[in-house]
Amino acid sequence: MGGVVGHVRGGGGGAGGGLRRGGLDSGQKGARPAHQPAHLALLATACGSDKADTKADAKPSAPASSSAPAAPAAKAKTDAELSALILTKADLPDHVVVAVPKDEVAIGEAAKGDKAECQPVVRTQGTATVGTAAGVARMKAVAKPKEGAGAEDAATAGLKALAGTRTSVTLASYEGKGAEEAFAAVKTAATACAGGFSLTMEGENTKIDKVVSSAATGGDEAIALTLEADVEGTKVTTETVVVRKGNVLATHTASALGVAEKPTAIVAAQVKKLG
């Protein structure tokens, strides 16, 4: 499938997103631009006591807890339930929205950083989940080219769209405190790897120069990450926003041929849909 749709299918935010230069495949399996490098989350108990004794030699009693029993943890959502919550074409009418192919997911799952402490950050870049998720849904989107007055305008708009920012969204649901632990893992990794690391994907190595983390809004907790690399003399960045809402972790990663735009509108739409 050609045009913008073909571009999105090729890697706009799946394994082909992140800091892979361009994040593009041609639509044919395994194809990508020449010299394209690989680019660039894991009880209080009440004590009972006997009746208090006012005698001096009476044994002291343990204080009773005033804590209410902990509420049972919410059940993790299934793939199907998350699929109903992830953004679609209806939510983003000005974008082309497609599912992330299984082969792209596999590439992202296999990506490795040279520092173990950086792995949670690595996994946010390739639609992989951080930790063990019970349910997952994924999509990727690229803005549609604006309609031009003539054929030349349309062609120019199309080329700009191909070179523009692509965003992947991964929703992952966890049992128990899994989502909280996954979010904490990403936050810890971002701090530990602020000075950069090397990432290997599809047998190719990319040096990530730095990871900049900052506060973000949305859900119960959120963090924004900017990864920066120099690819053949070109500054390349990804912009990732990880949001936890209950036991769901929503990871939004935007990539481009150069400096990616922040996925602000997509994050806001996805957080709103999560409720």
Side-chain angles (χ1 to χ4, degrees), residues 75-86 133-137 171-175 247-248:
K75 185 178 180 180
K77 291 179 171 57
T78 63
D79 291 358
E81 290 173 321
L82 289 175
S83 292
L85 290 173
I86 202 162
V136 186
L171 298 185
S173 184
Y174 301 78
E175 298 287 357
N247 61 359
V248 174

Side-chain angles (χ1 to χ4, degrees), residues 233-274:
T234 299
K235 179 180 178 180
V236 179
T237 68
T238 64
E239 296 289 348
T240 299
V241 179
V242 181
V243 180
R244 182 183 68 80
K245 176 68 176 179
N247 61 359
V248 174
L249 204 66
T251 302
H252 318 73
T253 297
S255 61
L257 286 171
V259 176
E261 298 175 359
K262 295 181 183 297
T264 306
I266 290 180
V267 173
Q270 184 60 78
V271 171
K272 180 179 179 180
K273 194 164 184 178
L274 286 175

